[in-house]
Each structure stands twice: as C-alpha cells, then as structure tokens.
Amino acid sequence: MKTIDLRSDTITVPDEGMRKAMYDAEVGDDVYGEDVTVNELQDLASSLTGKQASLFISSGSMGNLIPQFIIPERGSEVIAHRDSHIFHYELSSMAAVAGLMPRPVDGKDGKLTLESVKNAMRPEIYYMPKTGLIEIENTHNAAGGTFYTTEELKALHGFSLSIDVPIHMDGARVFNASATSGVSVKDIASCCETITFCLSKGLGAPAGSMLCGTAEFIAEAKRVRKMFGGGMRQIGILAAAGIYALKNNVSKLEADHIHARMIADAIRKSEILTLVNENISTNIVYFTAAEGCSLKTAAEKFHENGILISGDSSVFRIVTHLDVSQEDIERVCRFIENLKIY
Ligand SMILES: Cc1ncc(COP(=O)(O)O)c(C=O)c1O
C-alpha cells in the first residue's frame, strides 16, 4: 500500500525536471555575489513581488528573523496575530536574537484587523514600549490557510503608513494566497515593506526562501544573513530548483486547494470527524474527532491505512501538496467517509 503523506507541504521531493535543472545549474561563489543562478532567482523574486531587491535565504524562519533584527529598535514590540508562526514555532527568536517584545493580538481567522492593530497601539509615554513592526502571516498556517483580501491589506497598510510602522509579511505560502484570490503576488506585496516567501513548501523546491524589500534593506539583510551563518557558496544548485518551482509549480497550487476542499467535504460527511476550519480557501485542513471518540485511535487508524497526518492531542492537520495525486486524495476521502472507531 502506498503511503500518502499529508503531514505538511514541506515533504515534497524534487521531480525529474527540477533535478535536471539543478544538475545543469551554472554556479559560483554566492558570498562573492558570483553565482549567476542565485542572481537570476533573486531577480525573478524581485519582479514577482515588485520589490527593488531580493535575497535567497535558507528558510522561512530566517526570512522572518532578518527583518525583525534590522527594522525595529531593540525593546520595541512586534504586533502579530496571537496564533502566528513567529510567536509559536520560531523558538522565540524575536526575543532571543532580535531583542523584541511580542505583542500578540486577536483577529478573525488568523488575520489582524484594523481595529485589533489600533487597539494595540500604546500611548506615547516614554516608559512604554514602541511599536516597531507589524507582522502579517499570509496565508495563515494555524488558522487553516486563510488569506487576506486586498481590502483588508490596504486598510492595514494605510494605517501602518500613517503611524510610520513598517509591515513585514510572512508570506511562506503567499503564492497560495495569490492562487486562491486571483490577486497577483506583486499586488499583495505592495501592501507591505518586506516580504518573505518559501520555495520549499507548496512550490516543491528542496530548500530555501526569498526575502524581498528595498535595495537598502536587502543590502543590510545580506550582511545579517552572513552574521547568522547563512552565507553559502555554490548554492546555484538550490537556486535552480527555486527558479524551476516558480516557473512550473505556481500554476499547480490550485489543484492542492481543490484537493483540500475534497478532504473537507469527506470530513463533513463523517460521523467521527469534525472540521475546525469550515472555509477551506487554500491547502490546510484542521479537524478533530467527534465527542466521545478517541483522537488517538483516530490517528492510529489513519496511520494503519497508510495515511500520514499531523496533529497533537486535540487537533489534526492535513496539508495537500504537489506530491499527492487526485487518486491519492480519492483514497483518503473514501477512508475518511468510512472511518468507524467507536
Ligand atoms: C507561516 C509560516 N511561516 C514561516 C515558516 C517557517 O519556515 P521554515 O520551516 O522554512 O523555517 C513556516 C513553516 O512551516 C510557516 O508555516
């Protein structure tokens, strides 16, 4: 029985075309700025996001930490939704490395609202912390892949400009946001000063993220990347996978979204499982077991049937991605609809 791995969209492996692009890549020493493939990827990221410059970095976490390190004054606050990846899954790096204070706020579906941000503003009293950065996660992982509408982004950006606090977008999955909304990544990114996006999630590259912003910011980001030990040499091999991903895999994201909705429909039909995020707009589905039904047993049943899911003692997560086919998804749906564990 084939194992269907739905734990995350990070588990994809490079396909033949991507491996060939990696094999053929022209490389050089990127610390000297001499890797032409890295330079090509950085130019491509700048044109896709509409930003002046871009930097190839190791991960989404680094893409969030570098702006946190550069932009706000030490001791200032970072406003973000309380369920943000930066607060829960990045080892408190904003405090440990960047000297910043988390300012978690509420918001609907993992999204900041104008009201939530306005309410988090401190009075200008000298002994109170300043707001140094507003962070937007788009799509939002813990809320089930929700995305910001253009109106929501514009409202937040208008306000941030009026108070002179930059917005950083954790766009680890911003191409999913773009695919589902029909709004270009460039238009989405026009509502933030800096943006990071991942090549190694839904886009299917083996490693790497991009950080994009003004030329001045990226010049400093390059210094900080080196300071964090992230200056690498002949990484055109990885950059080639990123270029391949951006050129070939963006158009495949919508299939992941359709697959996630198929799984959500199967969960709706199940007497055992209950959806947590009712609206499935991208590729993440959270669900739980109905009352009286053991979550542990439900998880075991998935695993016994060759379906890997992630989750803790209260909630499960399924993330659809490039390496699962329509046929795989149909098998998962049949399994969910027929699941009996009482
Ligand atoms: C929304 C979001 N931001 C950032 C990251 C961090 O990415 P990485 O694992 O590449 O550090 C993730 C990883 O899952 C994520 O989901």
Side-chain angles (χ1 to χ4, degrees):
M1 183 172 44
K2 180 189 169 194
T3 300
I4 303 172
D5 193 342
L6 295 166
R7 286 170 301 158
S8 175
D9 49 8
T10 55
I11 64 97
T12 56
V13 292
D15 64 15
E16 216 180 309
M18 186 178 278
R19 284 169 195 259
K20 168 109 179 49
M22 295 170 79
Y23 182 84
D24 289 340
E26 196 179 330
V27 297
D29 190 327
D30 183 53
V31 172
Y32 292 162
E34 290 171 3
D35 190 305
V36 290
T37 310
V38 171
N39 294 342
E40 185 188 333
L41 172 63
Q42 290 175 167
D43 289 346
L44 179 58
S46 302
S47 78
L48 288 169
T49 57
K51 297 296 181 200
Q52 282 176 353
S54 299
L55 191 66
F56 186 33
I57 49 174
S58 61
S59 66
S61 302
M62 189 182 265
N64 290 329
L65 181 56
I66 292 177
Q68 287 167 6
F69 191 80
I70 295 174
I71 299 170
E73 247 177 63
R74 279 178 77 80
S76 54
E77 291 184 332
V78 177
I79 294 179
H81 189 278
R82 64 175 67 260
D83 299 328
S84 297
H85 200 275
I86 53 165
F87 289 151
H88 296 286
Y89 308 109
E90 297 182 19
L91 297 121
S92 311
S93 56
M94 78 167 63
V97 182
L100 301 174
M101 181 85 163
R103 179 90 159 127
V105 302
D106 290 326
K108 203 174 163 345
D109 298 330
K111 297 189 279 183
L112 295 176
T113 60
L114 189 53
E115 203 192 354
S116 64
V117 176
K118 280 186 176 170
N119 287 342
M121 288 296 121
R122 305 273 193 184
E124 274 187 44
I125 302 178
Y126 83 92
Y127 51 77
M128 296 191 97
K130 291 180 185 170
T131 303
L133 195 64
I134 297 169
E135 196 261 8
I136 287 178
E137 188 177 313
N138 191 23
T139 64
H140 197 281
N141 184 340
T146 48
F147 68 97
Y148 282 82
T149 63
T150 305
E151 293 66 37
E152 289 166 338
L153 288 176
K154 283 195 169 153
L156 288 169
H157 196 221
F159 180 66
S160 77
L161 291 172
S162 75
I163 55 168
D164 202 20
V165 175
I167 293 183
H168 168 67
M169 188 178 291
D170 175 354
R173 296 184 182 81
V174 73
F175 281 89
N176 295 81
S178 169
T180 200
S181 64
V183 180
S184 68
V185 168
K186 195 187 230 167
D187 284 346
I188 295 173
S190 70
C191 295
C192 61
E193 279 60 49
T194 57
I195 178 168
T196 186
F197 68 85
C198 292
L199 297 163
S200 59
K201 297 199 166 66
L203 297 179
S209 296
M210 304 306 298
L211 178 61
C212 317
T214 62
E216 193 187 358
F217 168 76
I218 291 298
E220 187 55 20
K222 196 169 175 182
R223 284 169 48 79
V224 174
R225 180 186 66 174
K226 187 84 175 91
M227 186 199 291
F228 290 172
M232 292 190 284
R233 306 291 174 169
Q234 289 73 18
I235 46 168
I237 286 178
L238 289 176
I243 295 169
Y244 182 92
L246 288 169
K247 291 191 175 162
N248 294 279
N249 294 345
V250 171
S251 60
K252 297 178 184 164
L253 291 171
E254 197 41 38
D256 298 344
H257 302 170
I258 293 168
H259 290 162
R261 286 196 287 272
M262 285 170 66
I263 287 174
D265 281 342
I267 293 173
R268 283 189 192 99
K269 287 182 201 151
S270 159
E271 288 169 17
I272 306 288
L273 306 175
T274 311
L275 270 182
V276 174
N277 54 322
E278 264 297 330
N279 290 324
I280 312 292
S281 40
T282 59
N283 66 332
I284 304 177
V285 183
Y286 284 97
F287 58 100
T288 186
E291 220 172 292
C293 166
S294 153
L295 224 60
K296 193 169 165 282
T297 320
E300 279 165 7
K301 293 269 177 199
F302 272 87
H303 286 227
E304 279 165 17
N305 282 274
I307 302 164
L308 304 186
I309 58 173
S310 61
D312 55 29
S313 54
S314 57
V315 177
F316 296 128
R317 188 185 75 165
I318 277 181
V319 186
T320 54
H321 54 78
L322 208 54
D323 286 2
V324 282
S325 63
Q326 175 85 11
E327 210 185 339
D328 294 336
I329 295 296
E330 283 165 8
R331 191 180 116 200
V332 175
C333 289
R334 274 197 307 275
F335 164 78
I336 290 174
E337 285 168 25
N338 296 320
L339 182 62
K340 304 240 179 313
I341 47 172
Y342 285 104

